[in-house]
């Protein structure tokens, strides 16, 4: 297990062609921080959803806007923040009274990550994704179990 602190920042144009660069950056940091293949895959899917939403909904000027990515890890977890320059609009995945194939990104992110938060600011929206390392999850669960 890697016990050092890693932090990277990436500011890129708001364009779908940059999604692979974002996934690659997350994968590199997560590997460096000692995460396993399954966790890395889950992070890449979650960050893809967050970044795709930022590109589609959080870039009022299209490719003139930027997506700001911060990836930070410590011995217990990795934190990934995806910030855009637009206004967050929560949408329910329903079309004509039936479930839609669109709007499921938030549900997917919450299923794959240990913590997900969305914060709106004047400058844009920040999606914060956290994945705990297995050792940190085990320790957290032990603290929640009452001693008999």
């Amino acid at each position: 297990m890697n016990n050092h602190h890693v932090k990277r920042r990436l500011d890129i144009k708001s364009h779908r062609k940059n999604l692979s660069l974002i996934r690659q950056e997350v994968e590199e940091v997560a590997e460096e921080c000692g995460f396993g293949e399954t966790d890395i895959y889950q992070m890449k899917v979650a960050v893809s959803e967050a970044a795709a939403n930022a590109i589609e909904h959080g870039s009022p000027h299209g490719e003139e806007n930027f997506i700001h990515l911060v990836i930070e890890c410590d011995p217990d977890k990795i934190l990934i923040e995806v910030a855009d320059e637009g206004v967050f609009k929560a949408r329910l995945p329903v079309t004509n009274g039936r479930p839609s194939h669109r709007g499921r990104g938030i549900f997917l992110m919450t299923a794959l990550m240990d913590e997900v938060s969305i914060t709106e600011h004047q400058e844009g929206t920040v999606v914060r994704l956290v994945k705990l390392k297995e050792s940190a999850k085990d320790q957290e669960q032990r603290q929640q179990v009452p001693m008999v």
Side-chain angles (χ1 to χ4, degrees), residues 58 83-88 119-126:
D84 63 39
E85 298 174 347
V87 178
F88 177 74
T119 308
E120 300 172 58
H121 301 283
Q122 287 290 97
E123 307 82 38
T125 302
V126 178

Side-chain angles (χ1 to χ4, degrees), residues 13-103:
K13 288 281 191 176
S14 180
H15 192 284
R16 287 200 172 277
K17 69 181 179 186
N18 290 324
L19 288 173
S20 61
L21 177 61
I22 291 169
R23 287 190 296 270
Q24 179 182 342
E25 200 72 20
V26 167
E27 182 174 12
E28 287 175 10
V29 173
E31 283 177 349
E32 186 176 340
C33 294
F35 281 91
E37 185 177 327
T38 300
D39 283 339
I40 292 172
Y41 176 78
Q42 292 174 346
M43 286 178 230
K44 288 168 56 177
V45 172
V47 78
S48 290
E49 289 294 329
N53 284 342
I55 291 166
E56 184 175 350
H57 305 294
S59 301
H61 303 289
E63 293 180 35
E64 297 301 312
N65 288 111
F66 283 85
I67 303 300
H68 311 283
L69 179 72
V70 174
I71 311 165
E72 188 170 359
C73 76
D74 62 34
D76 296 327
K77 68 185 174 301
I78 190 166
L79 163 68
I80 304 165
E81 289 185 343
V82 179
D84 63 39
E85 298 174 347
V87 178
F88 177 74
K89 294 179 182 125
R91 296 195 174 115
L92 296 176
V94 175
T95 304
N96 297 326
R98 293 190 315 242
S100 170
H101 70 282
R102 310 233 347 132

Side-chain angles (χ1 to χ4, degrees), residues 113-129:
M113 301 299 285
D114 294 307
E115 297 174 27
V116 176
S117 66
I118 300 170
T119 308
E120 300 172 58
H121 301 283
Q122 287 290 97
E123 307 82 38
T125 302
V126 178
V127 176
R128 183 178 186 269
L129 308 167

